[in-house]
């Protein structure tokens, strides 16, 4: 089984699909007839359901393997939805000032530049560059929706998390996972063990350590304002979700140079 499909079993087993769908529907209702992109769409989990239900969402991801699975899932739902293979660094250049809402969810941000190859090198500075590119893809006044790991998932006492076994697509699925903070390396290690009927699958991924303070600093550095946590968000107990806004240009500042030039007697 390919990793992208395995991730789908993980998401189905460890997420409350109904709750996630309702949350994202509520979010999208605030942007009727607006331009929306999910730039970390992965295999289309939840987003394809929302598209099927009539929401207009442009879907992109930097992982070709995830998008290959996305296209299979879209075809199974009878959707003629083509995702875009696009790195975050290229968002602003490809879609300058286009979107009213840009979504980066699923704890994707902290896996910047390390997801596909799991290259455990601490380079969280790259996240600032990606946020700047997301900023550039938004219209003035547009919003970024982004989530990161909550602090609680970095300090669980015994390290092992056991999810309630369930049935997914006719398979009996059991999942346990360990999240370890490698403070000296600036990394966070995520280890997953899954049982699908009698088969056992294991995988490990590393991400950058990126807490709320560092996120706020990075968003500020990228130019965002109005950084707000989504209070009461219960999508998953180890996510914390924020929105941030690309400000409108200051009209007085924008016209000030022209006014000075016109008054210059030379």
């Amino acid at each position: 089984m390919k990793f992208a499909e395995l991730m789908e079993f993980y998401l189905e087993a460890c997420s409350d699909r109904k709750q996630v769908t309702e949350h994202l529907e509520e979010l999208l209702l605030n942007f009727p007839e607006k331009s929306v992109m999910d730039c970390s769409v992965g295999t289309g989990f939840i987003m394809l359901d929302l598209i099927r239900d009539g929401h207009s969402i442009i879907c992109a991801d930097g992982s070709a393997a995830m998008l290959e699975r996305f296209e299979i899932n879209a075809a199974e739902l009878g959707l003629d939805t083509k995702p875009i293979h696009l790195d975050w660094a290229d968002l602003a250049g490809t879609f300058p000032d286009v979107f009213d809402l840009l979504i980066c969810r699923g704890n994707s941000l902290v896996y910047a530049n390390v997801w596909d190859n799991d290259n455990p090198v601490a380079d969280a500075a790259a996240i600032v560059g990606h946020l700047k590119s997301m900023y550039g893809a938004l219209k003035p006044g547009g919003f970024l929706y982004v989530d990161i790991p909550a602090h609680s998932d970095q300090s669980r006492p015994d390290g092992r998390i056991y999810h309630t076994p369930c049935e997914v697509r006719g398979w009996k699925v059991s999942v346990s996972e360990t999240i370890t903070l490698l403070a000296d390396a600036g990394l966070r290690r995520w280890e997953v063990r899954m049982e699908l009927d009698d088969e056992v699958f294991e995988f490990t991924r590393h991400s950058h350590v990126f807490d709320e303070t560092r996120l706020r600093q990075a968003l500020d550095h990228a130019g965002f304002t109005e950084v707000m946590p989504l209070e009461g968000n219960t999508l998953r107990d180890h996510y914390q979700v924020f929105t941030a806004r690309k400000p409108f240009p200051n009209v007085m500042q924008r016209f000030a140079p022209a006014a000075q030039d016109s008054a210059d007697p030379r």
Side-chain angles (χ1 to χ4, degrees):
M1 183 179 295
K2 292 185 177 180
F3 178 73
E5 187 175 4
L6 192 63
M7 275 300 302
E8 290 188 318
F9 278 98
Y10 170 85
L11 290 170
E12 292 281 2
C14 302
S15 304
D16 186 329
R17 173 181 277 273
K18 181 175 182 293
Q19 190 174 44
V20 176
T21 302
E22 289 176 353
H23 170 79
L24 291 174
E25 281 182 333
E26 183 178 355
L27 172 71
L28 293 171
L29 287 175
N30 292 301
F31 295 87
E33 300 181 7
K34 299 292 186 179
S35 181
V36 178
M37 170 183 270
D38 183 340
C39 66
S40 58
V41 74
T43 66
F45 180 70
I46 303 296
M47 279 299 168
L48 283 172
D49 295 336
L50 295 171
I51 292 171
R52 180 192 57 195
D53 292 342
H55 293 282
S56 179
I57 306 164
I58 296 173
C59 298
D61 201 283
S63 171
M66 290 292 175
L67 293 184
E68 180 182 351
R69 186 66 196 173
F70 178 104
E71 294 190 1
I72 293 171
N73 292 333
E76 289 179 352
L77 291 173
L79 298 174
D80 186 21
T81 299
K82 300 299 181 185
I84 303 169
H85 185 204
L86 184 68
D87 291 334
W88 292 332
D90 299 323
L91 273 167
T94 307
F95 297 100
D97 300 324
V98 168
F99 300 106
D100 297 284
L101 173 64
L102 191 64
I103 299 170
C104 181
R105 64 190 184 93
N107 280 350
S108 298
L109 186 66
V110 297
Y111 287 93
N113 299 352
V114 297
W115 175 256
D116 274 336
N117 57 8
D118 189 35
N119 180 22
V121 177
D123 184 22
I127 294 177
V128 176
H130 292 314
L131 288 172
K132 286 182 177 179
S133 186
M134 293 176 191
Y135 179 95
L138 285 167
K139 296 177 182 177
F143 285 88
L144 172 68
Y145 171 105
V146 61
D147 59 22
I148 59 172
H151 179 71
S152 59
D153 86 338
Q154 298 171 359
S155 57
R156 295 178 186 269
D158 83 332
R160 202 74 188 166
I161 306 162
Y162 295 90
H163 297 274
T164 303
C166 62
E167 185 174 302
V168 178
R169 305 177 193 171
W171 295 65
K172 182 180 178 182
V173 181
S174 297
V175 179
S176 65
E177 54 190 331
T178 303
I179 299 169
T180 307
L181 182 63
L182 307 175
D184 291 342
L187 296 169
R188 171 178 166 272
R189 184 170 61 221
W190 175 44
E191 299 169 280
V192 177
R193 185 180 192 276
M194 296 179 60
E195 296 180 24
L196 275 60
D197 289 344
D198 296 326
E199 293 188 69
V200 176
F201 300 88
E202 295 181 323
F203 63 85
T204 300
R205 285 292 186 275
H206 291 81
S207 62
H208 307 293
V209 175
F210 212 71
D211 60 14
E212 179 178 347
T213 298
R214 296 188 71 182
L215 175 66
R216 287 180 177 274
Q217 291 171 345
L219 289 168
D220 178 70
H221 193 67
F224 286 99
T225 59
E226 301 179 40
V227 180
M228 300 288 292
L230 290 190
E231 300 293 346
N233 170 59
T234 55
L235 294 183
R236 301 186 70 184
D237 64 359
H238 61 283
Y239 283 22
Q240 50 183 346
V241 182
F242 298 85
T243 59
R245 195 172 198 183
K246 179 177 181 176
F248 290 100
N250 186 307
V251 176
M252 293 304 293
Q253 288 182 351
R254 185 172 58 183
F255 287 105
Q260 291 172 1
D261 290 344
S262 64
D264 190 340
R266 293 175 296 175

